[in-house]
Amino acid sequence: SPGRLRLLSTGPILTVSGGYPAVTMGEHGIARLIDSPEQARAAVQEAARGGAALIKIALEPGGEAGAPWAMAHGHGASVHDVHAPQAQDPHAPVAHAPQIVSSAATGWPMPAPALVQAVVDEAHRLGLRVSAHVREEQGASLALETGIDEWAHVPCAPLSDEVIARAAARQIAVIGTLDTLSRCAGTQHNATRLVAAGVALLYGAEVAHPDIPWGIDVQELQWMMAAGMTQDAVLQAATSRAGAHLGIPLLGTLQAGAPADLIAIRGDVATNLKHLEYPELVIAGGQIVHNHFAP
């Protein structure tokens, strides 16, 4: 509506008991626990009824150096089934398939492939895409394996050539958030390799994090260019390509029938992108909400 912020929400992030983000930030308002395929499908249905624009799931074992969300705890464990008990009779069937695996890095549990697949299949059945919080090889590979549509971040820990190639072959959508992750040793290297492989990053800025401006984060755009994208491609990634990815026709374009949302600046972005952080005119839904050009 005129003059209002457009907000598309995923609802709570789906995760398993003891998993990220519940392990660091608690469950209330941010996490929805899913420890079985039935719970996974019910959570997706609940989010869809609530108007979620897409579904988000955490595939995060933790332990990535420099990550602002991760903190090491314990000594970790090898990948194993943490739910299914050992059968006394070696020939007896196990009661159920494992739904959780834990990481050698920190011990944060992640959903097993079958659980992720239940989320993806139910979301796709309802016409919703699935975005994954992935920050390293294990989560990125699981996302590719199960048909997840989007990585919510460029992974923080270095990725293998094999995963980079799989991501490019899938043409998976990758949201940058490079500024937030600039202290992670592998983020920019991963971004450069993804771009070189043909993956076009999309602009994304985590405004809830310290030092990320409320508005256009020009440092994010500059990191994207440092990864090998042209300035034109970066600006498209923050406007028309972002709108297309969100499924909103013509959002981010200036043409008849497009949403009447735009900003105007003084200066030339070709020589100084920083102007974008200080718009002189803001129009939302056809209504002027900020105008420094007016006398």
Side-chain angles (χ1 to χ4, degrees), residues 228-272:
M229 296 176 66
T230 66
Q231 187 180 87
D232 284 348
V234 165
L235 293 174
Q236 289 166 5
T239 53
S240 58
R241 286 189 54 245
H245 181 67
L246 292 172
I248 302 176
L250 304 184
L251 179 65
T253 69
L254 289 175
Q255 56 184 305
D261 300 343
L262 59 93
I263 66 170
I265 63 169
R266 297 183 191 274
D268 184 358
V269 293
T271 57
N272 189 355

Side-chain angles (χ1 to χ4, degrees), residues 18-289:
Y20 178 85
V23 68
T24 57
M25 292 179 274
E27 297 175 27
H28 181 69
I30 191 167
R32 172 74 151 80
L33 302 186
I34 52 166
D35 293 323
S36 71
E38 293 76 22
Q39 290 179 358
R41 288 188 287 268
V44 172
Q45 292 164 11
E46 179 182 308
R49 287 194 300 271
L54 73 164
I55 304 299
K56 186 169 183 180
I57 186 170
L59 307 179
E60 171 58 90
E64 302 90 352
W69 63 89
M71 58 181 69
H73 64 278
H75 297 288
S78 60
V79 174
H80 64 288
D81 173 20
V82 299
H83 272 185
Q86 290 291 324
Q88 297 300 314
D89 179 354
H91 300 292
V94 177
H96 56 79
Q99 300 302 329
I100 296 177
V101 295
S102 65
S103 163
T106 66
W108 291 359
M110 291 202 316
L115 192 57
V116 181
Q117 196 68 63
V119 169
V120 172
D121 290 348
E122 188 63 16
H124 288 176
R125 185 183 73 81
L126 296 173
L128 294 173
R129 292 177 294 111
V130 181
S131 178
H133 171 104
V134 292
R135 300 298 181 97
E136 47 66 70
E137 179 95 354
Q138 186 180 359
S141 184
L142 181 55
L144 292 167
E145 175 186 336
T146 53
I148 278 173
D149 305 285
E150 173 190 295
W151 293 355
H153 314 278
V154 169
C156 186
L159 296 177
S160 67
D161 291 341
E162 187 263 344
V163 165
I164 293 283
R166 287 169 62 197
R170 273 276 317 278
Q171 281 296 294
I172 194 161
V174 180
I175 313 301
T177 65
L178 302 175
D179 195 8
T180 301
L181 304 182
S182 59
R183 293 187 180 182
C184 292
T187 303
Q188 194 64 25
H189 184 52
N190 286 336
T192 301
R193 293 165 65 217
L194 285 164
V195 170
V199 177
L201 304 183
L202 287 161
Y203 169 86
E206 297 191 295
V207 297
H209 282 254
D211 303 322
I212 303 298
W214 285 78
I216 297 172
D217 181 6
V218 169
Q219 184 61 54
E220 181 73 22
L221 303 178
Q222 292 171 336
W223 283 123
M224 294 169 76
M225 291 177 64
M229 296 176 66
T230 66
Q231 187 180 87
D232 284 348
V234 165
L235 293 174
Q236 289 166 5
T239 53
S240 58
R241 286 189 54 245
H245 181 67
L246 292 172
I248 302 176
L250 304 184
L251 179 65
T253 69
L254 289 175
Q255 56 184 305
D261 300 343
L262 59 93
I263 66 170
I265 63 169
R266 297 183 191 274
D268 184 358
V269 293
T271 57
N272 189 355
L273 283 171
K274 197 69 176 176
H275 293 303
L276 292 171
E277 288 188 354
Y278 304 95
E280 299 288 339
L281 173 69
V282 177
I283 297 176
Q287 178 173 312
I288 295 175
V289 295

